[in-house]
Every structure is written in C-alpha cells, then in structure tokens.
Amino acid sequence: MRNYFLNISLLVLAMTSISGQAEVVSKDAIPTPILDKFYKKHPNAIEISAAKKIHFKQPLYEIMFKEEKDKEKLFELYRPNGQFFVNADNVQGANMLPAVASDNLKAMFDIYTVKSSVMIVNPNGIGEEYDLVVNSGGTDWSVVIDRNGAVGQKEHN
C-alpha cells in the first residue's frame, strides 16, 4: 500500500513538473535586443506575437509573424540576449512526428487533435524538437516533443 501511494505521488510530481501555463508575451514585452535584430531581418513583418519557450534545455523567445506579401505564418527563435537561435518549420499535421509520439500523446490526452506543429532543428547538434498545439476537450495545450517522441513540456495555453 505504501508503494502505491509513493508511485501515485511520483506520478503527480512528474506531471506537475512538465505542466504549467504557457507564457505568451505581448509585443511590448519582447526584449529590445531581440526586437532590434528581428526588425533588421524583417522590416516588413506584420502580425507579430511571441511566446517564451524552452527548446534543447534553453530558454528562448519564439517569434511568430507574417511578411507583408506572405500568407503563411513564420517562426524564429531567439535567445533572451537577442542572439538569433534558429528558424522553425511549420509542418503539416502530426505525420512528421516520431511514431512513439502518437502513443505518448494518446496516453496524455484520451481524445485530441493537433492544431499546429512546428519543427525546430537543433543548430548546435543532432536532433529536432516539435512544438505542437494540441486541442483536447476544448482546451489548447502547448506540447514539446523531442526527436525520440518523449514529451518534454506540456503547458496550458
């Protein structure tokens, strides 16, 4: 019986360690060094939004925007000091995910749909991570999955 309570406690701790509130940042709250570098690269950017993310164990700002002539949303990641980290690729659906990722998502959410998925390739080495927006029960979740299909982060949007 004691082991049962210990296992339940560990499970609750594990789930709360990867759950949290996704931190969407207003355009005014994006650090100035990031905005300076961003506007040098993209002087015609519109519909700019940002979110604080953790990819490859690094805190990053994910900047989402559109160019005036493009209809597709673009993604770039920057370090808090303003240094460009990497472009992210918008991938269609969950078909690019590792096979085990689907099983892990089913274990986490009984019924879900992947609303969007972005692939972030590690510029410092091998591997990629996937940043998903998953809807389950009418609630959107930001989920980060590593190249092995393991869920690294799960945050309520």
Side-chain angles (χ1 to χ4, degrees):
M1 185 64 136
R2 185 175 69 183
N3 286 339
Y4 174 76
F5 288 118
L6 179 64
N7 288 338
I8 293 295
S9 298
L10 290 174
L11 180 63
V12 168
L13 284 173
M15 289 304 290
T16 58
S17 70
I18 62 171
S19 296
Q21 187 73 19
E23 190 170 352
V24 176
V25 191
S26 72
K27 186 176 165 186
D28 297 333
I30 300 171
T32 303
I34 293 174
L35 282 177
D36 291 345
K37 294 247 173 122
F38 176 77
Y39 279 125
K40 283 181 185 175
K41 270 181 90 172
H42 306 285
N44 298 322
I46 57 174
E47 297 182 28
I48 301 167
S49 61
K52 286 185 178 180
K53 299 281 185 163
I54 296 178
H55 286 288
F56 308 106
K57 300 178 183 165
Q58 297 183 51
L60 300 167
Y61 282 82
E62 182 178 75
I63 310 294
M64 293 132 317
F65 64 100
K66 290 183 180 181
E67 293 285 351
E68 283 183 348
K69 60 186 177 281
D70 294 332
K71 295 185 190 277
E72 187 175 328
K73 193 167 253 193
L74 304 171
F75 300 86
E76 290 186 349
L77 288 98
Y78 290 83
R79 291 185 173 98
N81 66 2
Q83 185 180 13
F84 175 76
F85 186 69
V86 71
N87 288 319
D89 296 320
N90 194 2
V91 291
Q92 297 299 321
N95 56 352
M96 298 268 308
L97 297 175
V100 72
S102 178
D103 296 335
N104 290 340
L105 287 171
K106 285 178 186 172
M108 196 168 283
F109 307 104
D110 289 335
I111 299 171
Y112 69 92
T113 56
V114 176
K115 291 176 68 176
S116 68
S117 55
V118 177
M119 180 175 67
I120 297 105
V121 177
N122 188 350
N124 300 322
I126 299 172
E128 62 275 334
E129 288 185 341
Y130 298 88
D131 194 346
L132 310 176
V133 174
V134 176
N135 183 283
S136 178
T139 303
D140 285 344
W141 295 87
S142 176
V143 179
V144 175
I145 295 179
D146 68 15
R147 69 183 179 140
N148 298 320
V151 175
Q153 270 179 276
K154 174 186 162 194
E155 300 173 329
H156 182 264
N157 277 350

